[in-house]
Coordinates of all heavy atoms in Angstrom, one line a residue:
M1 N 45.9 19.9 10.9 CA 44.5 20.1 10.8 C 43.9 19.2 9.7 O 44.4 19.2 8.6 CB 44.2 21.6 10.6 CG 42.8 21.9 10.6 SD 42.6 23.7 10.5 CE 41.6 23.8 9.0
T2 N 42.9 18.5 10.0 CA 42.2 17.7 8.9 C 41.0 18.5 8.5 O 40.4 19.3 9.2 CB 41.8 16.3 9.5 OG1 40.9 16.5 10.6 CG2 43.0 15.6 9.9
R3 N 40.6 18.2 7.3 CA 39.4 18.8 6.7 C 38.3 17.8 6.5 O 38.5 16.8 5.9 CB 39.8 19.5 5.4 CG 38.7 20.3 4.8 CD 39.2 21.1 3.6 NE 38.1 21.7 2.9 CZ 38.2 22.2 1.7 NH1 39.3 22.1 1.1 NH2 37.1 22.7 1.2
A4 N 37.2 18.1 7.1 CA 36.1 17.1 7.0 C 35.4 17.3 5.7 O 35.2 18.4 5.2 CB 35.0 17.3 8.1
V5 N 35.1 16.2 5.0 CA 34.3 16.3 3.8 C 32.9 15.8 4.1 O 32.7 14.6 4.5 CB 35.0 15.4 2.7 CG1 34.1 15.4 1.4 CG2 36.4 15.9 2.4
M6 N 32.0 16.7 4.0 CA 30.6 16.4 4.3 C 29.9 15.9 3.0 O 29.9 16.6 2.0 CB 29.8 17.6 4.9 CG 30.5 18.2 6.1 SD 30.6 17.0 7.5 CE 29.0 17.2 8.2
R7 N 29.2 14.8 3.1 CA 28.5 14.3 2.0 C 27.0 14.5 2.2 O 26.5 14.1 3.3 CB 28.8 12.8 1.8 CG 28.4 12.3 0.4 CD 29.1 11.0 0.1 NE 28.8 10.0 1.2 CZ 28.0 9.0 1.1 NH1 27.5 8.7 -0.1 NH2 27.8 8.1 2.1
F8 N 26.3 15.1 1.3 CA 24.9 15.3 1.5 C 24.1 14.0 1.3 O 24.3 13.3 0.3 CB 24.4 16.3 0.4 CG 22.9 16.5 0.5 CD1 22.4 17.2 1.6 CD2 22.0 16.0 -0.4 CE1 21.0 17.5 1.7 CE2 20.7 16.2 -0.3 CZ 20.2 16.9 0.7
V9 N 23.4 13.6 2.4 CA 22.6 12.4 2.3 C 21.1 12.9 2.5 O 20.7 13.4 3.5 CB 22.9 11.4 3.5 CG1 22.0 10.2 3.4 CG2 24.4 11.1 3.4
P10 N 20.3 12.7 1.4 CA 18.9 13.1 1.5 C 18.1 12.2 2.4 O 18.1 11.0 2.2 CB 18.5 13.1 0.0 CG 19.4 12.0 -0.6 CD 20.7 12.1 0.1
Y11 N 17.4 12.8 3.3 CA 16.4 12.1 4.1 C 15.1 12.7 4.0 O 15.0 13.9 3.6 CB 16.8 12.2 5.6 CG 18.0 11.3 6.0 CD1 19.3 11.9 6.0 CD2 17.9 10.0 6.3 CE1 20.4 11.1 6.4 CE2 19.0 9.2 6.6 CZ 20.2 9.8 6.7 OH 21.3 9.0 7.0
K12 N 14.1 12.0 4.3 CA 12.7 12.5 4.3 C 12.0 12.0 5.6 O 12.3 10.9 6.1 CB 11.9 12.2 3.1 CG 11.5 10.7 3.0 CD 10.6 10.5 1.8 CE 10.1 9.1 1.8 NZ 9.2 8.8 0.7
T13 N 11.2 12.9 6.1 CA 10.4 12.6 7.3 C 9.0 12.5 6.9 O 8.4 13.3 6.2 CB 10.6 13.7 8.3 OG1 12.0 13.9 8.7 CG2 9.8 13.4 9.6
A14 N 8.3 11.5 7.4 CA 6.9 11.3 7.1 C 6.2 10.8 8.4 O 6.8 10.2 9.3 CB 6.7 10.2 6.0
Q15 N 4.9 11.2 8.5 CA 4.1 10.7 9.6 C 4.0 9.2 9.6 O 3.7 8.7 8.5 CB 2.8 11.4 9.6 CG 2.0 11.2 10.9 CD 0.6 11.9 10.8 OE1 -0.2 11.7 9.9 NE2 0.4 12.7 11.8
D16 N 4.1 8.6 10.7 CA 3.9 7.2 10.9 C 2.4 6.9 10.9 O 1.8 7.2 11.9 CB 4.6 6.6 12.1 CG 4.3 5.2 12.3 OD1 3.6 4.5 11.5 OD2 4.8 4.6 13.4
V17 N 1.9 6.4 9.8 CA 0.4 6.3 9.8 C -0.1 5.1 10.6 O -1.3 4.9 10.7 CB -0.1 6.2 8.3 CG1 0.2 7.5 7.6 CG2 0.6 5.0 7.6
T18 N 0.8 4.2 11.1 CA 0.4 3.1 11.9 C 0.1 3.5 13.3 O -0.4 2.7 14.1 CB 1.4 2.0 11.8 OG1 2.6 2.4 12.5 CG2 1.8 1.6 10.4
A19 N 0.5 4.7 13.7 CA 0.3 5.2 15.1 C -0.6 6.4 15.1 O -0.3 7.4 14.4 CB 1.6 5.5 15.8
A20 N -1.8 6.3 15.8 CA -2.7 7.4 15.7 C -2.2 8.7 16.4 O -1.7 8.6 17.6 CB -4.0 7.0 16.3
P21 N -2.3 9.8 15.8 CA -2.0 11.1 16.5 C -3.0 11.3 17.6 O -4.1 10.9 17.6 CB -2.1 12.2 15.4 CG -2.1 11.4 14.1 CD -2.7 10.1 14.4
T22 N -2.5 12.1 18.6 CA -3.4 12.4 19.7 C -3.4 13.9 20.0 O -2.5 14.6 19.7 CB -3.0 11.7 21.0 OG1 -1.6 12.0 21.4 CG2 -3.2 10.2 20.9
Y23 N -4.5 14.4 20.6 CA -4.7 15.8 21.0 C -4.9 15.8 22.5 O -5.5 14.9 23.1 CB -5.9 16.4 20.3 CG -5.8 16.3 18.8 CD1 -6.1 15.2 18.1 CD2 -5.5 17.5 18.1 CE1 -6.1 15.1 16.7 CE2 -5.4 17.4 16.7 CZ -5.7 16.3 16.0 OH -5.6 16.2 14.7
E24 N -4.4 16.8 23.2 CA -4.6 17.0 24.6 C -4.4 18.4 25.0 O -3.8 19.2 24.3 CB -3.6 16.1 25.4 CG -2.2 16.3 25.1 CD -1.3 15.3 25.8 OE1 -1.2 15.2 27.0 OE2 -0.6 14.5 25.0
A25 N -4.8 18.7 26.2 CA -4.6 20.1 26.8 C -4.4 20.0 28.3 O -4.9 19.0 28.9 CB -5.8 21.0 26.5
V26 N -3.7 20.9 28.8 CA -3.5 21.0 30.3 C -3.8 22.5 30.7 O -3.4 23.4 29.9 CB -2.1 20.6 30.7 CG1 -1.0 21.4 30.1 CG2 -2.0 20.6 32.2
C27 N -4.5 22.7 31.8 CA -4.9 24.0 32.2 C -3.7 24.6 32.9 O -3.1 24.1 33.8 CB -6.0 23.9 33.2 SG -6.5 25.6 33.9
V28 N -3.3 25.8 32.3 CA -2.1 26.5 32.9 C -2.6 27.9 33.5 O -1.8 28.8 33.6 CB -1.0 26.8 31.8 CG1 -0.4 25.5 31.4 CG2 -1.6 27.5 30.6
S29 N -3.8 27.9 33.9 CA -4.3 29.1 34.6 C -3.9 29.0 36.1 O -3.7 28.0 36.6 CB -5.9 29.1 34.6 OG -6.3 29.2 33.2
G30 N -3.7 30.2 36.6 CA -3.3 30.2 38.0 C -2.4 31.4 38.3 O -1.5 31.6 37.4
D31 N -2.5 32.0 39.4 CA -1.6 33.1 39.7 C -0.2 32.7 40.2 O 0.8 33.2 39.7 CB -2.2 34.0 40.9 CG -3.5 34.6 40.4 OD1 -3.6 34.9 39.2 OD2 -4.4 34.9 41.3
V32 N -0.1 31.7 41.1 CA 1.2 31.3 41.6 C 1.6 30.0 40.9 O 2.7 29.9 40.4 CB 1.1 31.1 43.1 CG1 2.5 30.6 43.6 CG2 0.7 32.4 43.8
E33 N 0.7 29.0 40.9 CA 1.0 27.8 40.2 C -0.1 27.5 39.2 O -1.2 27.9 39.3 CB 1.0 26.6 41.3 CG 2.1 26.7 42.3 CD 2.1 25.5 43.2 OE1 1.4 24.5 42.9 OE2 2.8 25.5 44.2
D34 N 0.3 26.7 38.2 CA -0.7 26.3 37.2 C -1.7 25.3 37.8 O -1.3 24.6 38.7 CB 0.0 25.6 36.0 CG 0.8 26.5 35.2 OD1 0.7 27.7 35.3 OD2 1.6 26.0 34.3
C35 N -2.9 25.4 37.3 CA -4.0 24.5 37.8 C -3.5 23.0 37.6 O -3.6 22.2 38.4 CB -5.3 24.8 37.1 SG -6.5 23.5 37.2
G36 N -3.1 22.7 36.3 CA -2.5 21.4 36.0 C -3.5 20.4 35.6 O -3.2 19.2 35.3
E37 N -4.8 20.7 35.7 CA -5.8 19.7 35.3 C -5.7 19.3 33.8 O -5.4 20.2 33.0 CB -7.2 20.2 35.6 CG -8.2 19.0 35.7 CD -9.5 19.4 36.5 OE1 -9.4 20.1 37.5 OE2 -10.5 19.0 36.0
E38 N -5.8 18.1 33.5 CA -5.6 17.6 32.1 C -6.8 17.0 31.4 O -7.6 16.4 32.1 CB -4.5 16.5 32.1 CG -3.1 17.0 32.7 CD -2.1 15.9 32.8 OE1 -2.5 14.7 32.6 OE2 -1.0 16.3 33.2
S39 N -6.9 17.2 30.1 CA -8.0 16.7 29.3 C -7.9 15.2 29.1 O -8.9 14.6 28.8 CB -8.0 17.4 28.0 OG -6.9 17.1 27.2
G40 N -6.7 14.7 29.2 CA -6.5 13.3 28.7 C -6.2 13.4 27.2 O -6.3 14.4 26.6
Q41 N -5.8 12.2 26.7 CA -5.5 12.1 25.2 C -6.7 11.7 24.5 O -7.4 10.7 24.9 CB -4.3 11.2 25.0 CG -3.0 11.7 25.7 CD -1.8 10.7 25.3 OE1 -2.0 9.6 25.0 NE2 -0.6 11.2 25.5
W42 N -6.9 12.3 23.3 CA -8.0 12.0 22.4 C -7.5 11.9 21.0 O -6.5 12.5 20.6 CB -9.0 13.1 22.5 CG -9.6 13.3 23.9 CD1 -9.1 14.0 24.9 CD2 -10.8 12.6 24.4 NE1 -9.9 13.8 26.1 CE2 -10.9 13.0 25.8 CE3 -11.7 11.7 23.9 CZ2 -11.9 12.5 26.6 CZ3 -12.7 11.2 24.7 CH2 -12.8 11.6 26.0
L43 N -8.3 11.2 20.2 CA -7.9 10.9 18.8 C -8.4 12.0 17.9 O -7.9 12.0 16.7 CB -8.5 9.6 18.4 CG -7.9 8.4 19.1 CD1 -8.6 7.1 18.6 CD2 -6.4 8.2 18.9
T44 N -9.2 12.9 18.4 CA -9.7 14.1 17.6 C -9.6 15.3 18.5 O -9.7 15.2 19.7 CB -11.1 13.9 17.0 OG1 -12.0 13.8 18.1 CG2 -11.2 12.7 16.2
P45 N -9.5 16.5 17.9 CA -9.4 17.7 18.7 C -10.7 18.1 19.4 O -10.7 18.8 20.4 CB -9.0 18.8 17.7 CG -9.3 18.3 16.4 CD -9.3 16.8 16.5
H46 N -11.9 17.6 18.9 CA -13.2 18.1 19.5 C -13.4 17.8 21.0 O -13.8 18.7 21.7 CB -14.3 17.5 18.7 CG -15.7 17.9 19.1 ND1 -16.1 19.2 19.0 CD2 -16.6 17.2 19.8 CE1 -17.3 19.3 19.5 NE2 -17.7 18.1 20.0
P47 N -13.1 16.5 21.5 CA -13.2 16.3 22.9 C -12.4 17.2 23.8 O -12.8 17.6 24.9 CB -12.8 14.8 23.1 CG -13.0 14.2 21.7 CD -12.7 15.3 20.7
V48 N -11.2 17.6 23.2 CA -10.4 18.5 24.0 C -11.0 19.9 24.1 O -11.0 20.5 25.2 CB -9.0 18.6 23.3 CG1 -8.1 19.6 24.1 CG2 -8.3 17.3 23.3
E49 N -11.6 20.3 23.0 CA -12.3 21.6 23.0 C -13.5 21.6 24.0 O -13.7 22.5 24.7 CB -12.8 21.9 21.6 CG -13.5 23.2 21.4 CD -12.5 24.4 21.5 OE1 -11.3 24.3 21.2 OE2 -13.0 25.5 21.9
V50 N -14.2 20.5 23.9 CA -15.4 20.3 24.9 C -14.9 20.4 26.3 O -15.5 21.0 27.2 CB -16.1 19.0 24.6 CG1 -17.1 18.7 25.7 CG2 -16.8 19.1 23.2
W51 N -13.8 19.7 26.6 CA -13.2 19.6 28.0 C -12.8 21.0 28.4 O -13.1 21.5 29.5 CB -12.1 18.6 28.1 CG -11.4 18.7 29.4 CD1 -11.9 18.0 30.5 CD2 -10.3 19.5 29.8 NE1 -11.1 18.4 31.6 CE2 -10.1 19.2 31.2 CE3 -9.5 20.4 29.2 CZ2 -9.1 19.9 31.9 CZ3 -8.5 21.0 29.9 CH2 -8.3 20.7 31.2
M52 N -12.1 21.8 27.5 CA -11.6 23.1 27.9 C -12.8 24.0 28.2 O -12.8 24.8 29.2 CB -10.8 23.7 26.8 CG -9.4 23.1 26.6 SD -8.3 23.9 25.5 CE -9.2 23.9 24.0
R53 N -13.9 24.0 27.4 CA -15.1 24.8 27.6 C -15.7 24.5 28.9 O -16.2 25.3 29.7 CB -16.0 24.7 26.5 CG -15.4 25.3 25.2 CD -16.4 25.2 24.0 NE -15.7 25.8 22.8 CZ -16.3 26.1 21.7 NH1 -17.6 26.0 21.6 NH2 -15.6 26.6 20.7
A54 N -15.8 23.2 29.2 CA -16.4 22.7 30.5 C -15.6 23.2 31.7 O -16.1 23.6 32.7 CB -16.6 21.2 30.5
H55 N -14.3 23.0 31.5 CA -13.4 23.4 32.6 C -13.4 24.9 32.8 O -13.4 25.4 34.0 CB -11.9 23.0 32.2 CG -10.9 23.2 33.4 ND1 -11.0 22.4 34.5 CD2 -9.9 24.1 33.5 CE1 -10.0 22.8 35.3 NE2 -9.3 23.9 34.8
R56 N -13.6 25.7 31.8 CA -13.7 27.2 31.9 C -15.0 27.5 32.6 O -15.1 28.4 33.5 CB -13.8 27.8 30.5 CG -14.1 29.3 30.4 CD -13.0 30.1 31.0 NE -13.2 31.5 30.8 CZ -14.0 32.3 31.5 NH1 -14.6 31.8 32.6 NH2 -14.1 33.6 31.3
A57 N -16.1 26.8 32.3 CA -17.4 27.0 32.9 C -17.4 26.7 34.4 O -18.0 27.3 35.2 CB -18.5 26.2 32.2
D58 N -16.7 25.6 34.7 CA -16.6 25.1 36.1 C -15.7 25.9 37.0 O -16.0 26.1 38.2 CB -16.2 23.6 36.1 CG -17.2 22.7 35.5 OD1 -18.3 23.1 35.3 OD2 -16.8 21.5 35.2
T59 N -14.6 26.4 36.4 CA -13.5 26.9 37.3 C -13.2 28.4 37.0 O -12.6 29.1 37.8 CB -12.2 26.2 37.1 OG1 -11.8 26.3 35.8 CG2 -12.4 24.7 37.4
G60 N -13.6 28.9 35.8 CA -13.2 30.2 35.4 C -11.8 30.2 34.7 O -11.4 31.3 34.3
H61 N -11.2 29.1 34.7 CA -9.8 29.0 34.1 C -10.0 29.1 32.6 O -10.7 28.3 32.0 CB -9.1 27.7 34.5 CG -8.9 27.7 36.0 ND1 -8.5 26.5 36.6 CD2 -8.9 28.6 36.9 CE1 -8.3 26.7 37.9 NE2 -8.6 28.0 38.1
G62 N -9.2 29.9 31.9 CA -9.3 30.1 30.5 C -8.0 30.0 29.7 O -8.0 30.3 28.5
R63 N -6.9 29.5 30.4 CA -5.6 29.4 29.6 C -5.1 28.0 29.6 O -5.0 27.4 30.7 CB -4.6 30.4 30.3 CG -3.3 30.5 29.5 CD -2.5 31.7 29.9 NE -1.3 31.9 29.1 CZ -0.2 31.4 29.4 NH1 0.0 30.8 30.6 NH2 0.9 31.5 28.6
F64 N -4.8 27.5 28.5 CA -4.5 26.1 28.3 C -3.2 25.9 27.5 O -3.0 26.7 26.6 CB -5.6 25.3 27.7 CG -6.9 25.3 28.5 CD1 -7.8 26.4 28.2 CD2 -7.2 24.4 29.4 CE1 -9.0 26.4 28.9 CE2 -8.4 24.5 30.2 CZ -9.3 25.5 29.9
R65 N -2.5 24.9 27.7 CA -1.4 24.5 26.8 C -1.9 23.3 26.1 O -2.2 22.3 26.7 CB -0.1 24.1 27.6 CG 1.0 23.7 26.7 CD 2.3 23.4 27.4 NE 2.2 22.3 28.4 CZ 2.2 21.0 28.1 NH1 2.4 20.6 26.9 NH2 2.1 20.1 29.1
R66 N -2.0 23.4 24.7 CA -2.5 22.3 23.9 C -1.3 21.6 23.2 O -0.3 22.2 22.9 CB -3.4 22.9 22.9 CG -4.7 23.5 23.4 CD -5.7 23.8 22.4 NE -5.2 24.8 21.4 CZ -5.9 25.2 20.3 NH1 -7.1 24.7 20.1 NH2 -5.3 26.0 19.5
A67 N -1.5 20.3 23.0 CA -0.5 19.6 22.3 C -1.1 18.6 21.3 O -2.1 18.0 21.5 CB 0.3 18.8 23.3
F68 N -0.4 18.6 20.1 CA -0.8 17.6 19.1 C 0.5 16.7 19.0 O 1.6 17.2 18.9 CB -1.0 18.3 17.8 CG -1.1 17.3 16.6 CD1 -2.2 16.5 16.4 CD2 0.0 17.2 15.8 CE1 -2.2 15.7 15.3 CE2 0.0 16.3 14.7 CZ -1.2 15.6 14.5
V69 N 0.3 15.4 19.2 CA 1.4 14.5 19.2 C 1.2 13.4 18.1 O 0.2 12.8 18.0 CB 1.5 13.7 20.6 CG1 2.6 12.7 20.6 CG2 1.6 14.8 21.7
D70 N 2.3 13.3 17.3 CA 2.2 12.2 16.3 C 3.6 11.6 16.3 O 4.5 12.0 17.0 CB 1.8 12.8 14.9 CG 2.9 13.6 14.3 OD1 3.9 14.0 14.9 OD2 2.8 13.9 13.1
Y71 N 3.7 10.5 15.5 CA 4.9 9.8 15.4 C 5.5 10.0 14.0 O 4.7 10.1 13.0 CB 4.7 8.3 15.6 CG 4.2 8.0 17.0 CD1 2.9 8.2 17.4 CD2 5.1 7.6 18.0 CE1 2.5 8.0 18.7 CE2 4.7 7.4 19.3 CZ 3.4 7.6 19.6 OH 3.0 7.4 20.9
A72 N 6.8 10.1 13.9 CA 7.4 10.3 12.6 C 8.4 9.2 12.3 O 9.0 8.7 13.2 CB 8.1 11.7 12.6
E73 N 8.6 9.0 11.0 CA 9.6 8.1 10.6 C 10.5 8.8 9.6 O 10.1 9.5 8.7 CB 9.0 6.9 9.9 CG 8.2 6.0 10.8 CD 7.6 4.8 10.1 OE1 7.1 4.9 9.0 OE2 7.7 3.7 10.6
V74 N 11.8 8.6 9.8 CA 12.8 9.3 9.0 C 13.6 8.2 8.2 O 14.0 7.2 8.8 CB 13.8 10.1 9.8 CG1 14.9 10.7 8.9 CG2 13.1 11.2 10.6
G75 N 13.6 8.4 6.9 CA 14.3 7.4 6.1 C 15.0 8.0 5.0 O 14.9 9.2 4.7
R76 N 15.8 7.3 4.3 CA 16.6 7.8 3.1 C 15.6 8.1 2.0 O 14.7 7.3 1.7 CB 17.6 6.7 2.7 CG 18.7 6.4 3.6 CD 19.7 7.4 3.7 NE 20.6 7.5 2.5 CZ 21.7 6.8 2.4 NH1 22.2 6.1 3.4 NH2 22.4 6.9 1.3
A77 N 15.8 9.3 1.5 CA 15.0 9.7 0.3 C 15.6 9.0 -0.9 O 16.8 9.1 -1.2 CB 15.0 11.2 0.1
E78 N 14.7 8.3 -1.7 CA 15.2 7.6 -2.8 C 14.8 8.3 -4.1 O 13.8 8.9 -4.2 CB 14.7 6.2 -2.9 CG 15.1 5.4 -1.7 CD 16.6 5.2 -1.5 OE1 17.3 5.3 -2.5 OE2 17.1 5.0 -0.4
Ligands
ZN101 ZN1 -7.8 24.9 35.6

């Protein structure tokens, strides 16, 4: 049996500021299947909120899956 020697290597994760984060939502209302209508990707959360409220007003659907997407870079911590 060999014994592994683990060496601690410090890493840090930071947001990649060269890639803009995005916000989006998809309608998951529905009894049997989700509606599936999507807001599209936006650079701020406000247009997603506006889309969800309009979709609620148009369809009565009120349940959404929201996502915030960004890019990360992991590097050695110095
Ligand atoms: Zn819907």
